[in-house]
Amino acid sequence: MGDKKTVDARGMACPGPIAKLTRAYREAKNGDVIEILATDQGFIPDIKAWIESTGNKLIELKQDGGVIRAVIEVTAKK
Amino acid sequence: MNGEKVLVVGGGAGGLLVSNLLVGDGREVTLVTNNPEHYFQPANLFIAFKGESPESYKRSVESLLDPKVRLILDKLSKLDLGNRTALTERGKRLEYDYVIVAAGARMDYNSLPGMKENFEMFGDYYSSPEAAVKVWNTVSRMKNGKLIIGVPDLIIKCPPAPHKGVFLAAEFFKKEKRDVTVELLYPSPHIYTEAELAKTIESKMKSFSNIEYRTSFLIDSVDKDRKVVIGMNGEEIKYDALVLIPFHKGPEIDVNPAEARDDDGFIKVDKRKLNITSYDDAFAIGDCNNAPTSKTGVAAHLGAFVVWKRINGRNAEYSGRTNCPLITDDEAIFVISDYDHKPVGQRFSRLKRLMEDLFVAMYFPSLRYPRKFEPIFDVYFNATEPNILGEKGW
């Protein structure tokens, strides 16, 4: 079982939530879970594109009020 | 005058501006910096890819300060927010009524295996003018092969600077008719962090036959012996020369309480008022703070004005405004956003490139005489607010 880390990128427009996710992903290992909170609407297509191109696993993607919550499982590190 | 003793930490754009503004009110301002020289950081690109001289973009800190500001050339090592005191490395103890930390970001080469050795070999255009000269020494001698500009992390000064480097390098190789490809390795799923702007930048990149790029490429390490960049998924990309954008961390100041800094050492502030969390007599502006906006000179500039006004009892706030120029050799766009607006759509134009050149020309005097230049900046910033440019873009 991996570790779980939450990345709070709410209220962050530029350079955006992917910047914070990149930092958290560097520290993570396969099996870890990263939860990202964001308010930038562009984050929904971005995280889908990121998952598709990096080959990690999207466990959950939900929007509640103005807050987007994405949960990913790290699976694509060597 | 109440609150007359002001301590400013750092001799960058933010520190110089706020010092010159506050001393003009009749306050007693002390600026502490360990670097006697101030340089125009974006010019590192012109040094690295056009071979320009670093000397044209350097001035002494002293020459950019109102003579009434007391300048201490020393490193600030400790800051005690509760007791309103600070200590320099050489043991000078300072007291203040207000402190403004404008110490910038610290470059970190140790967060990625192989980065430090690569920096020593190829330099970069982030760390210093001298490191940019190193890039030029490589670029100007390359006859063929591949120059990679790699972006391991996105919390960096001037987010479009990696792209600027790619464009300027590609232009140089094209003009010189050299068989060199420039490749950008970028971690986000689009070639810029914001999708719409990414399309504009991508189509410009495609108009160059010697530019390649990879998105969602997460750099894990560098193997200098085999000359490969290794991705987190194990993929390897070969280079002949490699410029890596260093990681950015908060300044090396021992701040008490320690909770005033985040995990990366950035100083925690209220993102609009810019006061250091829970202290109304302490502020942090520019790259050293944790405001959720770009690390850019414009944030330091606008932050300096916000803090100056707030210390004078006015209710000014920082909107998170960015204005990062993305230049090619002859065109430019500006990444304009704030806390409430994503970057507005942009079209490359020659006029915007000219505006960037005009800004470079007025940079040093605008630091020394901020009150005189404020009306010019105001006209520009007001006319280009994200909610004014809106859907139509610029």
Side-chain angles (χ1 to χ4, degrees), chain B residues 185-376:
Chain B
L185 300 182
Y186 203 66
S188 95
H190 317 287
I191 200 60
Y192 193 71
T193 51
E194 199 277 320
E196 286 305 308
L197 223 46
K199 284 183 198 158
T200 307
I201 298 167
E202 190 168 20
S203 70
K204 182 59 70 183
M205 285 184 162
K206 283 182 174 158
S207 72
F208 282 77
S209 59
N210 58 348
I211 293 180
E212 292 175 358
Y213 53 88
R214 292 276 298 265
T215 54
S216 295
F217 192 88
L218 303 155
I219 301 173
D220 175 76
S221 54
V222 174
D223 184 333
K224 72 169 168 41
D225 299 327
R226 291 165 52 231
K227 288 195 165 183
V228 288
V229 179
I230 304 162
M232 288 189 196
N233 57 1
E235 195 182 343
E236 297 186 349
I237 301 182
K238 202 149 176 40
Y239 63 81
D240 294 288
L242 172 66
V243 174
L244 288 174
I245 312 300
F247 288 79
H248 289 41
K249 298 277 168 72
E252 262 181 326
I253 302 170
D254 177 6
V255 182
N256 186 25
E259 302 84 72
R261 305 211 293 167
D262 73 8
D263 294 345
D264 292 313
F266 293 113
I267 298 168
K268 292 186 204 163
V269 291
D270 177 296
K271 68 177 184 176
R272 294 184 195 273
K273 296 175 181 160
L274 301 177
N275 58 295
I276 301 176
T277 324
S278 83
Y279 293 88
D280 57 10
D281 52 7
F283 301 86
I285 58 174
D287 296 344
C288 70
N289 74 25
N290 76 334
T293 187
S294 301
K295 305 229 165 279
T296 164
V298 73
H301 175 126
L302 293 172
F305 277 88
V306 167
V307 168
W308 171 54
K309 287 173 186 168
R310 294 196 74 83
I311 288 180
N312 280 310
R314 289 159 68 187
N315 193 26
E317 291 196 341
Y318 173 54
S319 65
R321 171 72 190 264
T322 66
N323 197 71
C324 311
L326 193 170
I327 59 166
T328 68
D329 213 25
D330 59 353
E331 293 182 311
I333 57 174
F334 290 95
V335 182
I336 295 176
S337 67
D338 62 29
Y339 294 137
D340 303 314
H341 301 87
K342 63 176 187 148
V344 298
Q346 291 272 338
R347 291 169 290 280
F348 275 94
S349 89
R350 286 172 184 266
L351 183 67
K352 287 177 193 166
R353 182 67 175 82
L354 176 66
M355 290 172 73
E356 171 68 358
D357 281 344
L358 288 173
F359 172 68
V360 177
M362 61 193 248
Y363 178 72
F364 291 116
S366 76
L367 297 177
R368 174 64 185 87
Y369 304 103
R371 279 179 170 83
K372 282 191 186 155
F373 280 84
E374 195 193 4
I376 303 174

